[in-house]
Amino acid sequence: AIESATNGQVKVDSNGDDVTVKTDQGTWSTSDKLPADFPKDVPMYPGAKLQGSLAAAPADGSGGHYAGLETSDAIATVVAWYKKEIVAQGWKITTDATISGSTMLSATKDTRVFSASISEDSGKVSVSIVVVAK
């Protein structure tokens, strides 16, 4: 329907839970697994369940990735792990703030910015990760 409505200017590929949209301005995709080009230096909490991912690749070369994770581990354990592992991967932490029980971590490396929001609800800890070009 989208391809028809745009006279073929937008290409949509859908394969099960994976959807990719391509235009002359770039590509956007979402999935229930990490994309192949997800940055290898962004740590994924061990044993956490991936809730979904998003990759954006605008034609201008910018872009980024998102991953949503969920674990039943304690929030303090998850936060401590991320603080240690992000530095171990060569990132420099620029923000470390806890507000109302939720933690926001930001870090920089090369020309990229990492951001993680870690929060707890109903005994589950959610981790939302975003990595973008500066």
Side-chain angles (χ1 to χ4, degrees):
I2 294 172
E3 290 178 15
S4 295
T6 62
N7 293 324
Q9 293 180 16
V10 174
K11 174 80 172 138
V12 178
D13 292 320
S14 179
N15 180 10
D17 292 328
D18 303 339
V19 177
T20 300
V21 178
K22 295 180 183 180
T23 73
D24 62 347
Q25 296 178 12
T27 303
W28 173 87
S29 61
T30 185
S31 179
D32 62 352
K33 57 188 172 286
L34 286 179
D37 66 344
F38 193 87
K40 304 297 182 221
D41 60 351
V42 173
M44 303 305 280
Y45 190 76
K49 182 176 185 212
L50 181 68
Q51 299 296 301
S53 69
L54 178 97
D60 67 5
S62 64
H65 292 85
Y66 163 83
L69 309 171
E70 185 178 86
T71 180
S72 57
D73 290 355
I75 191 168
T77 302
V78 177
V79 169
W81 187 88
Y82 267 99
K83 287 180 182 181
K84 178 182 172 194
E85 289 301 315
I86 201 71
V87 171
Q89 291 294 323
W91 294 84
K92 180 183 176 191
I93 294 177
T94 57
T95 303
D96 177 357
T98 300
I99 301 169
S100 299
S102 295
T103 297
M104 173 60 82
L105 292 175
S106 296
T108 59
K109 183 178 181 181
D110 305 320
T111 60
R112 296 173 295 148
V113 176
F114 162 92
S115 178
S117 174
I118 306 168
S119 59
E120 184 174 21
D121 184 33
S122 301
K124 297 287 185 181
V125 173
S126 296
V127 181
S128 295
I129 297 170
V130 176
V131 182
V132 296
K134 284 186 188 178

